[in-house]
DNA sequence: TGTACATCAGTGAACGCGCGTTCACTGATGTAC
DNA sequence: TGTACATCAGTGAACGCGCGTTCACTGATGTAC
């Protein structure tokens, strides 16, 4: 009745409490890692009883899944927005790096150590491929489709025969290769940086990353 | 008395039980991840009482630290041995990849999501730099010190001023750069592969990795 | 070879704790007539 | 506008559980004379 296109007050309230729960969940993850995430502890922080949270999340696992979904969603939106605003591969890398540095635990929730036995629902893998789609577009834009000059590597040839995953994307094998290199190099530098493996080495990871992306295959 | 250079029977027994404990610990990690590692559960598996394990490890944390140490030690030895047997960078990458694939959880214990608040003791970081030392030697060997032809990148210049961490290694900035690229590219492909992020993409990660290492800077 | 003593692996009971989750319930908020 | 009813957020008690860790102890193994 009230506000036809919107939500009822109850729905708005629900969404708000759900959001607050997630917020505290992220806080706990930041403090002590995913393993320490506890519904009871969140409830205590919010000044309510443990069982109350079960009105909002069916289980601890569902909450974590939702956090993972949100993380992917946020990354996909960030990357998409940047690309649509004209960002090239370097700018894209910068945006992703800042996204990750602003909340390393969120990055690791997605790209860190996998939880044995956990399998993400389909809609999440779909979001993750949105990210890859943007990378493919960005890589396709830089080498205008007709780069006959760059040599065809064995891996490019291999990709020709294994490109089903890029279904619907009119990308050349070289472009697929380029996107994969972009992704893996970015992740290589970023995850080691965030995990602190460069601690003690005084160099600037940003410069290394830029350098790594300067020599992407056929771009 | 018996066996002057060796251990007493008691010492041997202790070492044996410690090893068995660690073995079960790895098993638990493989099954349900580090968070699920429990001293009581290990004791039960070994047919003894929980408190008995405190004869061998002062705490759960000490056990985990020991596992981390062993993982680094194993990797460092593997890499060192391969290099001393004449392995080049490709062979080295292959050895590391096989080491990781043979026990992904061990790899992730080292290079995966960091545990908030955990700080490795000094001897462990020392072992980790043994690995880097081998990489530096291997990268130094390929470009015989006098590669004047390769252009000096901004990152190389930056490294000239931030090379304290490679103290004692007579490596050029280009070699440092090369080793860092090797490490980050390897880790980029490997960790995404092991975490299952290539699932659904049909390509062979090994080919991607080989391709990635083919174009290391100044090598 | 035998006895007296010290070392030390392993036990069982107990501690306090926090966890995820269920259940029957109260009380407030919204809906229908 | 008022009354009757349905929805649903949140409570408190309770469940069973496994955790890390301590402690006082038994009993076997090794050592010294």
């Amino acid at each position: 009745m009230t506000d036809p296109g919107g939500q009822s007050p109850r729905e708005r309230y629900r969404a708000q409490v759900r959001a607050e729960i997630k917020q505290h969940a992220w806080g706990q993850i930041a403090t002590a890692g995913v393993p320490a995430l506890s519904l009871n502890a969140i409830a205590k922080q919010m000044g309510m009883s443990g069982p109350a949270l079960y009105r909002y999340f069916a289980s601890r696992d569902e909450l974590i899944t939702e956090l993972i979904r949100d993380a992917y969603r946020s990354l996909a939106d960030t990357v998409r927005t940047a690309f649509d605003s004209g960002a090239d591969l370097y700018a894209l890398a910068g945006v992703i790096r800042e996204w990750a540095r602003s909340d390393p635990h969120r990055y690791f929730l997605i790209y860190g150590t996998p939880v044995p036995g956990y399998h993400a629902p389909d809609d999440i893998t779909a979001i993750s491929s949105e990210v890859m789609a943007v990378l493919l577009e960005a890589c396709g834009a830089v080498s205008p489709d007709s780069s006959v000059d760059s040599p065809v590597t064995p891996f490019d040839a291999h990709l020709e025969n294994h490109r089903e995953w890029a279904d619907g994307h009119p990308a050349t094998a070289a472009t697929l290769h380029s996107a994969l290199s972009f992704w893996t190099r970015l992740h290589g530098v970023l995850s080691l940086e965030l995990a602190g493996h460069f601690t003690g080495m005084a160099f600037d990871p940003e410069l290394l990353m830029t350098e790594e992306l300067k020599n992407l295959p056929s771009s």
Side-chain angles (χ1 to χ4, degrees), chain A:
Chain A
M1 263 324 154
T2 58
D3 202 355
Q7 312 154 301
S8 71
R10 258 190 184 152
E11 279 172 326
R12 238 183 299 123
Y13 179 75
R14 270 190 72 82
Q16 191 177 310
V17 175
R18 273 180 73 96
E20 195 180 341
I21 292 172
K22 290 190 208 168
Q23 204 172 302
H24 282 99
W26 284 116
Q28 289 198 4
I29 289 178
T31 303
V34 180
L37 201 172
S38 141
L39 291 189
N40 288 315
I42 291 174
K44 191 172 291 179
Q45 283 179 25
M46 294 178 62
M48 51 201 297
S49 272
L53 296 205
Y54 285 79
R55 291 271 161 201
Y56 301 92
F57 293 95
S59 67
R60 179 178 181 273
D61 264 24
E62 197 192 277
L63 171 57
I64 293 179
T65 296
E66 183 85 7
L67 295 179
I68 295 175
R69 202 190 327 267
D70 286 357
Y72 270 115
R73 182 77 274 149
S74 164
L75 177 60
D77 290 349
T78 301
V79 167
R80 168 55 67 190
T81 300
F83 179 67
D84 287 351
S85 306
D88 64 354
L89 282 175
Y90 297 99
L92 229 43
V95 163
I96 295 174
R97 181 161 177 268
E98 281 320 306
W99 182 87
R101 285 166 52 93
S102 77
D103 192 343
H105 306 94
R106 190 172 49 172
Y107 184 82
F108 280 118
L109 189 61
I110 294 183
Y111 290 118
T113 309
V115 178
Y118 178 83
H119 222 69
D122 286 348
D123 72 295
I124 287 185
T125 59
I127 302 174
S128 110
S129 61
E130 282 184 38
V131 177
M132 181 49 92
V134 175
L135 297 190
L136 284 175
E137 291 180 45
C139 287
V142 67
S143 66
D145 209 22
S146 62
S147 50
V148 195
D149 48 336
S150 60
V152 172
T153 67
F155 184 60
D156 287 332
H158 173 76
L159 275 177
E160 288 287 8
N161 300 324
H162 300 88
R163 52 166 302 148
E164 315 85 40
W165 53 276
D167 237 23
H169 283 281
T172 65
T175 300
L176 300 188
H177 183 176
S178 198
L180 287 175
S181 289
F182 177 90
W183 184 27
T184 55
R185 291 189 195 180
L186 178 69
H187 172 71
V189 176
L190 193 47
S191 70
L192 289 175
E193 174 191 3
L194 295 179
H197 287 282
F198 296 154
T199 306
M201 311 187 182
F203 69 86
D204 181 354
E206 186 177 7
L207 293 179
L208 172 58
M209 180 184 286
T210 303
E211 195 61 40
E212 281 296 282
L213 300 180
K214 211 179 278 179
N215 300 305
L216 287 181
S218 64
S219 70

